[in-house]
Structure formats: structure tokens, C-alpha cells
Amino acid sequence: MALHGGAIIDTAKDYSLEIEHMRELVEVARTRLDQGEAAASIAAAIVHEMEMSGLYVAGRGASPNDEGLYELDAALMDGTTARIGAVAALQNFKSPVEVARAVMESSPHVFFAGAGAAAFARRSGLEPVPDDNWYTHVGSGRSASGFGSRPFGTVGCVVLDRYGGLASATSTAGIFGKQAGRVGDSPVPGAGTWADRFCAVSCTGHGEFFIRTAAAVQVAHRLHYAGQGLNDAAVAVLREVEDLGGSGGLIAIDVAGRIAMPFISAGMKRAALFSDGSVSVNVR
Ligand code: ASP
């Protein structure tokens, strides 16, 4: 499995807390995998932990849009069943990925936005945010000229389970200073999140460019239809993002357990548990 805590722009920041946290989460995932839990359930659980930590720009660590509102996006996709649940511009719920999971598991629809997403979450009995003080707003205080120079903090997780099932989950508050109602790539099936029988992908970076390149599903299609290897496919997709002027990175895992974690930003908070049991955790 692999996880990410967002692409990095800020080269000076100390990420030791995030590194420690990501290392812990890899061990949580290892235990769940050993216990035979399915990929989608593990991906959602790991992203939920990242949301609750307040260390990333997702869930508790979210930052507000340009109107001061917290509008959060998330998606969960199960590659075995091709089921997906997504929410965009969700307000006032603690765990967007849990809402996405409820959409995937118990709705005839796949994607809810805005007030409809919140109404669905309410109907599903999911936990609301107590008040605006809930958010730790990890991005605050980092001045920058335009979102292009600010850090990203989306979180994501891709998992291959012991049955050969693949899944991907992604959650975010989006890019800093985004306009009200803006939706990035993270919840968009095939853009920021994708899983099928061949691979699972979760992206981070300038979402507009990942939508324009259908980044996540493009990795899968390069594997399946063009016969490319996972890393080559992932790097080629990021080259397209870069050619359009975007930056960021992605994590991907294929059905053979190969993992790719390329980025075209200054870094990407990321961790992986490889099929031989070894672990890597890096930010640059
Ligand atoms: N991709 C996310 C978005 O554009 C931002 C991020 O990766 O942090 O909403």
C-alpha cells in the first residue's frame, strides 16, 4: 500500500511530525492487511486517520475558501467492484471520506455536491463538525503570492489487499485560497482518484491540471491499453500535467504490488509498504 499527505512546495519546512505519523499509518495498514481486510476499507480507514490528525489540508487540517467557508472534497473507489462514492464542497462534516464511503456503499448515486452532500451525510447519521474551531487550518500563516506557491495537503491512500483487490481514497480541502464552489481533482473519478482491476491511483497538486489530463485513469489506461509499466505510466501522466503548467504528484499501485510515487513538485509527503514487507517514508 502507499499513502500521501500532499505535494510539497515549501522546501524549508520541517516535516518530522508528518513523517512519524505516516510511518505509524503504514503499520496500521500492515495490521489490517494481515487481518484480511479489503482494500477499500483499509484505504478509507487510513485517509480517515489522516483527516482526523489535523496534520494535512484535509478533514481537521482543512483551510477555508476565499469566503471563509470550509468546503471539502473526497472520493473512495473500489477497483474490484468498480464502485465509487464521492462528495464535493461538503460542509460541516468531520470525515469527508466517511461520507464518500457511505455514498459508495449505500447510495444509488455516486457523487453528491454541496448542500445535497451534507443532506446525504446527515441522513446517513455521520458525525457533524462541532463548530468552525474544529479546524486546525494547517496552511495558515504561510504567506505566498497566489496558490501556485503554496503547499498542498491533500491526503490519499492506495491499497492492494491479499485477495488482489485494489482501492483508492483521496480527501482534501482543495488548494489554498480557492473560490467558493470550486471543486478540484480529488473527488472526480478518473482525475484525482481511480481504482480498477489493474491499478489504484491517488493524486495531489494543482487539481485543475489533473482534471484536464484525466490523470488517475490515464495511468490505468496506459497500463492496460498501452502496455506501459506502472512507473513509466505515472511519470508520463505527470509530464502532461507539467506541460500544461501544473505541478504535484501521485501514488499508484498495480495488481502485482508494484508501487510508483513520482512527483514534479519540490517534494511529496509519502509512504509505502512494499510486498516484501519493507517500508519507505519520504517528503522530498
Ligand atoms: N489536488 C487538490 C486540489 O486541487 C489539492 C492538493 O493536492 O492538495 O483540490
Side-chain angles (χ1 to χ4, degrees):
M1 60 76 65
L3 61 88
H4 71 78
I8 292 175
I9 303 293
D10 190 342
T11 47
K13 186 179 172 340
D14 172 15
Y15 287 104
S16 39
L17 271 181
E18 288 88 341
I19 288 173
E20 196 185 317
H21 188 238
M22 291 190 292
R23 202 179 290 285
E24 282 170 21
L25 290 180
V26 166
E27 295 311 319
V28 170
R30 189 200 298 272
T31 304
R32 286 171 174 261
L33 282 163
D34 289 348
Q35 289 169 347
E37 194 170 328
S41 179
I42 298 173
I46 296 298
V47 165
H48 174 78
E49 290 297 325
M50 296 183 91
E51 288 177 337
M52 291 304 118
S53 72
L55 289 172
Y56 316 89
V57 191
R60 188 154 202 200
S63 49
N65 63 21
D66 66 351
E67 293 184 2
L69 302 173
Y70 292 85
E71 292 187 335
L72 278 54
D73 305 333
L76 172 65
M77 185 161 190
D78 182 338
T80 306
T81 56
R83 293 175 80 190
I84 185 162
V87 288
L90 172 73
Q91 287 186 53
N92 301 115
F93 282 85
K94 270 191 180 175
S95 175
V97 76
E98 286 302 322
V99 184
R101 183 177 189 166
V103 174
M104 187 185 90
E105 289 177 348
S106 59
S107 170
H109 304 307
V110 298
F111 205 152
F112 284 91
F120 173 83
R122 213 171 301 117
R123 285 199 301 280
S124 304
L126 292 165
E127 208 175 344
V129 166
D131 55 52
D132 274 1
N133 293 330
W134 161 257
Y135 295 106
T136 57
H137 192 169
V138 292
S140 61
R142 293 181 195 162
S143 65
S145 50
F147 64 71
S149 55
R150 298 190 190 201
F152 299 106
T154 292
V155 302
C157 181
V158 292
V159 179
L160 169 68
D161 65 28
R162 63 157 64 161
Y163 318 104
L166 291 153
S168 172
T170 312
S171 178
T172 189
I175 52 176
F176 288 93
K178 69 179 184 181
Q179 295 177 16
R182 178 266 187 190
V183 175
D185 60 314
S186 308
V188 177
T193 304
W194 185 257
D196 57 21
R197 288 177 292 116
F198 311 105
C199 68
V201 183
S202 173
C203 302
T204 175
H206 285 146
E208 283 71 6
F209 298 94
F210 287 80
I211 294 173
R212 290 168 64 193
T213 53
V217 74
Q218 197 192 141
V219 173
H221 286 179
R222 281 176 177 272
L223 240 67
H224 186 48
Y225 298 116
Q228 294 181 354
L230 186 71
N231 199 61
D232 287 351
V235 167
V237 168
L238 289 184
R239 201 168 299 131
E240 284 194 16
V241 169
E242 194 167 31
D243 286 348
L244 292 176
S247 75
L250 63 84
I251 56 170
I253 188 166
D254 71 10
V255 73
R258 283 178 288 253
I259 290 174
M261 300 186 286
F263 53 86
I264 49 173
S265 44
M268 181 172 70
K269 288 158 265 173
R270 63 197 185 281
L273 170 61
F274 298 96
S275 39
D276 66 359
S278 62
V279 173
S280 83
V281 187
N282 288 292
V283 297
R284 296 191 173 88

